[in-house]
Amino acid sequence: MSPYLKLAALLFVPALFAGCSENPPADDHEEHGAAEAEEERGPHRGRMLRDGNFAVEVTIFEDGVEPEFHIYAYRDDKPVAPQHVQLSVDLIRLGGKVDRFAFMPKDDFLRGGGVVKEPHSFDVKVKAVEGGRTHNWTYASYEGRTTIAADAARAGGVRSERAGPASIAELIDMSGRIEITPEGKADVRARLPGQILSMTGELGQVVRRGQTLLRVESSHSLQTYTVTAPISGTIVEKNANVGDMTGDRALFVIADPTKLHAEFFVYPRDAERVRVGQKVALRSLSGAARLTGAVEAILPTADLASQTLLAHVHLPESAAGQFRPGMGVEGAFAVAETQAPLAVRTKAIQRFRDFDVVYAKVGNSYEVRMLELGRKTPEWTEVLGGLEPGTEYVTDGAFLIRADIDKSGASHDH
């Protein structure tokens, strides 16, 4: 069974989870609203927190503004003037960081000072003072968070690393084809004109260097001599038969399929930026075959029709297992490289609501981090905001974390 199937099976075993619901059991501190199975909603669709005949309605307002707290106070379910209430809110985030909010009266509500940053996932402490009485509530409000046992995560191939600086390459994409190098191809010709008496070489035959391919009777001396293979490889052309006169044409063409390079068509707008030695990430048109090479030569002569130059990218002999002569390929040329202060692996990035995210890991818990992104390559993506340097995040198996979060139903709901 594959690692991904193993995790998919394990995720349905409750005993393996430390918890993956929106509202896990709260500690019993005789505080109000912490253990309600289904929270009450108020007139503004916010969460109602009650203590006797006093209550507050907690909302996060984000209509045309950055998310901010709007909290409404009630006594006996009737509005209380906001200037009669002193209020504070602490948001305890995964990992222990605390965001504290003070409130000022505005219109008919108390407005929090500051932005409620994404993700809106935290343990909440609310303190209200009115009429000489103090009221305290705690509750959990999670989104994009789940907890998975370490064994289950390992079985599913979930891997993580810490976010930090990385080299980000500026890439130019080009199209090309795989060709045999000049030294990987040879014409087989007769040394002296004459008649072909016998031929052992056949089209498609694999031959070794020095192997006899045909015998020729010289027209001048009437003596017989042999013609051998100048290189090892495969016979890709046969241009004569027994009884033919040799002439000066190539009787066979031999190609060594391990001697390959990629030829890319460089347009004038990119010609000044492509240099010998630059790294190139090659991929087949299907995307199944991939490897990294380097520019070995740029031919100075432009094609008359397209005005393109040819850039040759060296391929190792092992490339013959993935690429064949004549195949179309695409290449990403690294024409410049800069250091990004903070980056994550591109494969780690997932979609969550309308955001690009990675999943931060704290212990056995995983939670979304909404990212502001910069430059991007197939390997690395620059992070401009939304993630702290040094954060441990999921690099492999992220889509399985997303699937478990979707299953748990932890949603963006205030």
Side-chain angles (χ1 to χ4, degrees), residues 315-367:
L315 303 183
E317 290 192 1
S318 59
Q322 302 182 76
F323 297 93
R324 295 185 180 276
M327 283 181 58
V329 290
E330 295 175 337
F333 284 64
V335 297
E337 192 167 288
T338 57
Q339 191 76 1
L342 183 62
V344 296
R345 295 195 182 274
T346 300
K347 66 181 180 180
I349 299 173
Q350 302 285 306
R351 290 294 293 177
F352 182 83
R353 299 201 336 253
D354 296 328
F355 297 95
D356 291 310
V357 304
V358 293
Y359 292 98
K361 180 180 184 295
V362 179
N364 290 339
S365 294
Y366 302 84
E367 187 177 81

Side-chain angles (χ1 to χ4, degrees), residues 189-366:
R189 300 177 187 273
R191 299 188 304 275
L192 301 169
Q195 187 177 32
I196 299 173
L197 299 181
S198 65
M199 302 185 76
T200 58
E202 297 293 339
L203 190 64
Q205 181 182 355
V206 177
V207 297
R208 65 184 183 279
R209 181 181 179 183
Q211 180 177 333
T212 298
L213 300 181
L214 68 157
R215 299 178 66 83
V216 178
E217 182 184 66
S218 171
S219 298
H220 299 292
S221 65
L222 299 182
Q223 292 183 338
T224 301
Y225 66 91
T226 59
V227 179
T228 60
I231 64 172
S232 298
T234 302
I235 297 176
V236 295
E237 289 185 30
K238 179 182 177 183
N239 301 314
N241 292 298
V242 174
D244 289 350
M245 299 301 293
T246 58
D248 60 356
R249 70 187 185 279
L251 306 176
F252 294 102
V253 177
I254 301 174
D256 183 348
T258 66
K259 298 292 193 295
L260 300 176
H261 65 192
E263 295 182 350
F264 287 94
F265 311 104
V266 184
Y267 286 93
R269 66 175 180 271
D270 300 323
E272 296 301 319
R273 309 187 69 192
V274 176
R275 296 285 185 272
V276 172
Q278 288 174 343
K279 292 182 180 179
V280 182
L282 287 87
R283 59 190 179 276
S284 62
L285 298 183
S286 67
R290 296 173 179 267
L291 60 78
T292 300
V295 178
E296 62 179 350
I298 302 173
L299 301 188
T301 305
D303 180 80
L304 291 177
S306 64
Q307 290 298 295
T308 57
L309 302 178
L310 273 183
H312 288 183
V313 176
H314 172 73
L315 303 183
E317 290 192 1
S318 59
Q322 302 182 76
F323 297 93
R324 295 185 180 276
M327 283 181 58
V329 290
E330 295 175 337
F333 284 64
V335 297
E337 192 167 288
T338 57
Q339 191 76 1
L342 183 62
V344 296
R345 295 195 182 274
T346 300
K347 66 181 180 180
I349 299 173
Q350 302 285 306
R351 290 294 293 177
F352 182 83
R353 299 201 336 253
D354 296 328
F355 297 95
D356 291 310
V357 304
V358 293
Y359 292 98
K361 180 180 184 295
V362 179
N364 290 339
S365 294
Y366 302 84

Side-chain angles (χ1 to χ4, degrees), residues 172-192:
I172 295 178
D173 290 327
M174 299 185 196
S175 298
R177 61 173 178 257
I178 301 297
E179 297 288 358
I180 294 176
T181 62
E183 59 271 23
K185 203 169 186 179
D187 292 342
V188 179
R189 300 177 187 273
R191 299 188 304 275
L192 301 169

